[in-house]
Amino acid sequence: MSVLNGKKILLGVSGGIAAYKTASLVRLFIKAGAHVQVIMTPASKDFVTPLTLSTLSKNPVHSSFFNQDDEDAVWNNHVDLALWADLMLIAPATSNTLSKMTTGNSDNLLVATYLSAKCPVYFAPAMDLDMYKHPSVLASFNALKSFGNIMIPAESGELASGLSGEGRMAEPENIIAFLEADLESKLPLKGKKILITAGPTYEAIDPVRFIGNHSSGKMGFDLANEAANLGAQVILVAGPTHYKAKNNLVEVIGVVSAQEMYDVCHEYFKDVDVAIAAAAVADYRPKVVATQKIKKAADEFSIELEKTKDILASLGAIKKNQFLIGFALETENEIENAKLKIQKKNLDLIVLNSLQDEGAGFKKETNKVTFIDQDFKIEPMELKSKESVAVDILNKVVSHFAKL
Ligand code: CTP
């Protein structure tokens, strides 16, 4: 999945011949799953029509401070547009627009919006080879870089003037690749490996029956997707569940029993930076698994159970630098029980679910958790979707690494 997926992109098009390439650029953004709004300078409309870009971006194109076609002249709010964006790209960026950006000359909607933008701003220059090397243009590049804007360098090749050299706007595919590489390199969990357990485990009674529980696996899958979105390499060890990882950077290893989950976790744990145990592992399993289907005979029937291994506690016992997070599902004395689990399992953080909280627990879309850290700092959270709880948990992981 592209790092651009779900991103809100504001594309500023200024008036150069390369503007015709923005049709492909918008298509590639949409294909990558981004949301796109386009702002055009008046001059750019001579090179590509607003209708083309609004059709491809699936959004109205903005080009003036107010909508002239509208009798009541509705103001195009450049501040709202700028704040909407996760990322602004000016492509093609002509020498005229670049120079206005450096001096704050906001005589068009594009530059006014640029001046209001708080998001990262990229610019892809496009001009003739001598212009591209002119000291005044180089001064604009340097000024914009000093503002923290990121330049996507022009490419070499045939130019509209008939000359050949450096100055062509980077090809749309290369602009996309540049943005993806830059955004990926800045993801907060880039280079980190995370092991996550999810779902229930099934403990066989005989070839057709098992002991299991109602865990859907959603919390673990949401954690895995969010961790991958933040750049982590994720190994998700999942018991039986119908969930699929949305982010294809998540490696899912399917297991059935607690013992299988234990084995896989121990295979990977030594190489990971973080482990999060979100699985509802069966605490007991039948001592003997019948090789044939058990026939009904006596009126009463009992199965002797034995304890499964506590995966989380076993990881806590061997952990070195790994940041270890566990869950606790409690029905009474929640905080005290959770604190005991932190100590017993040698955890860095516990995510406490209380079944007393409405909206929390198995087969629910929402969860209400309380974080308790190693120093027993208690942080109750609001009732939220499991996706948002996953974001909160991973924020804890990000701030742990930020403190190191
Ligand atoms: N866990 C585990 N392996 C087990 C049991 C639990 O890894 N065999 C993990 C769960 O994934 C969870 C945490 O331990 O992160 C807490 O599980 P929970 O069932 O709440 O607590 P237990 O330690 O099993 O204790 P109890 O059932 O007595 O509350």
Side-chain angles (χ1 to χ4, degrees):
M1 189 165 61
S2 167
V3 69
L4 294 169
N5 184 50
K7 287 265 176 323
K8 296 188 209 118
I9 295 173
L10 197 53
L11 174 65
V13 182
S14 62
I17 178 65
Y20 84 91
K21 292 185 185 173
T22 56
S24 309
L25 192 55
V26 172
R27 274 201 65 223
L28 292 171
F29 277 135
I30 298 289
K31 213 170 134 201
H35 308 284
V36 184
Q37 296 213 59
V38 180
I39 305 178
M40 301 180 77
T41 62
S44 71
K45 292 198 262 180
D46 293 332
F47 298 97
V48 61
T49 72
L51 183 60
T52 305
L53 298 183
S54 72
T55 309
L56 292 169
S57 67
K58 305 182 174 83
N59 271 316
V61 163
H62 315 280
S63 66
S64 56
F65 286 100
F66 60 92
N67 194 340
Q68 284 133 330
D69 301 334
D70 207 312
E71 267 181 26
D72 301 324
V74 178
W75 186 50
N76 269 325
N77 187 337
H78 61 91
V79 180
D80 277 355
L81 267 175
L83 296 182
W84 169 84
D86 295 320
L87 173 169
M88 184 172 188
L89 165 68
I90 292 126
T94 59
S95 65
N96 183 34
T97 290
L98 291 170
S99 125
K100 285 181 184 176
M101 285 160 66
T102 64
T103 55
N105 177 0
S106 54
D107 68 351
N108 65 40
L109 186 69
L110 193 162
V111 180
T113 309
Y114 160 76
L115 294 175
S116 303
K118 291 201 173 93
C119 60
V121 177
Y122 298 78
F123 60 98
M127 58 199 77
D128 208 51
L129 76 171
D130 294 317
M131 293 171 82
Y132 194 67
K133 291 210 160 49
H134 194 280
S136 74
V137 171
L138 294 180
S140 294
F141 294 161
N142 288 335
L144 293 174
K145 285 182 198 165
S146 76
F147 302 161
N149 301 162
I150 301 156
M151 175 161 151
I152 305 177
E155 294 174 2
S156 275
E158 202 178 310
L159 299 161
S161 60
L163 298 172
S164 191
E166 211 177 1
R168 274 163 64 127
M169 184 180 84
E171 289 302 322
E173 291 79 6
N174 297 342
I175 291 181
I176 298 284
F178 184 102
L179 292 173
E180 286 179 335
D182 191 67
L183 292 171
E184 271 170 24
S185 72
K186 291 172 180 158
L187 289 173
L189 294 180
K190 184 82 193 158
K192 299 280 181 266
K193 255 192 183 180
I194 304 193
L195 175 70
I196 298 173
T197 66
T201 63
Y202 288 177
E203 309 303 324
I205 297 170
D206 68 13
V208 293
R209 302 180 182 97
F210 60 83
I211 296 173
N213 60 62
H214 290 301
S215 166
S216 66
K218 180 162 174 48
M219 191 69 245
F221 275 76
D222 286 345
L223 279 166
N225 286 323
E226 182 55 23
N229 290 345
L230 295 175
Q233 187 188 336
V234 183
I235 300 123
L236 177 62
V237 190
T241 165
H242 67 274
Y243 280 103
K244 301 234 173 323
K246 288 185 204 146
N247 191 316
N248 55 14
L249 297 173
V250 176
E251 181 188 348
V252 183
I253 303 177
V255 295
V256 176
S257 66
Q259 184 62 46
E260 282 171 22
M261 190 174 270
Y262 176 96
D263 291 341
V264 176
C265 287
H266 277 269
E267 193 183 322
Y268 286 92
F269 185 67
K270 57 185 178 313
D271 298 324
V272 301
D273 304 286
V274 180
I276 309 177
V281 186
D283 288 328
Y284 291 90
R285 66 180 177 197
K287 201 165 180 182
V288 178
V289 180
T291 49
Q292 303 299 330
K293 185 182 167 203
I294 300 169
K295 291 295 210 185
K296 61 175 173 299
D299 283 347
E300 286 185 11
F301 179 73
S302 47
I303 302 170
E304 201 180 341
L305 301 178
E306 65 181 3
K307 256 192 181 161
T308 56
K309 288 179 190 150
D310 188 317
I311 302 167
L312 182 58
S314 70
L315 299 179
I318 58 166
K319 89 168 184 197
K320 293 201 165 79
N321 298 322
Q322 292 92 339
F323 189 65
L324 191 57
I325 304 178
F327 278 73
L329 180 64
E330 304 290 345
T331 54
E332 55 183 354
N333 300 329
E334 294 92 344
I335 301 285
E336 283 321 304
N337 284 336
K339 284 180 179 173
L340 285 175
K341 273 179 199 166
I342 293 181
Q343 284 171 324
K344 207 172 84 190
K345 304 193 187 196
N346 193 19
L347 307 180
D348 296 288
L349 183 75
I350 201 156
V351 184
L352 167 65
N353 295 285
S354 167
L355 276 192
Q356 287 179 8
D357 286 320
E358 223 172 287
F362 287 165
K363 301 227 158 142
K364 298 253 171 65
E365 290 297 310
T366 51
N367 207 350
K368 172 152 183 12
V369 303
T370 300
F371 291 120
I372 309 177
D373 70 11
Q374 245 183 350
D375 304 322
F376 293 160
K377 201 179 117 223
I378 299 168
E379 196 181 340
M381 309 299 284
E382 301 289 309
L383 177 72
K384 344 184 143 176
S385 67
K386 285 189 175 168
E387 281 99 335
S388 309
V389 173
V391 170
D392 289 345
I393 293 171
L394 286 152
N395 280 341
K396 295 277 175 200
V397 174
V398 171
S399 45
H400 163 72
F401 288 113
K403 276 188 236 144
L404 291 183

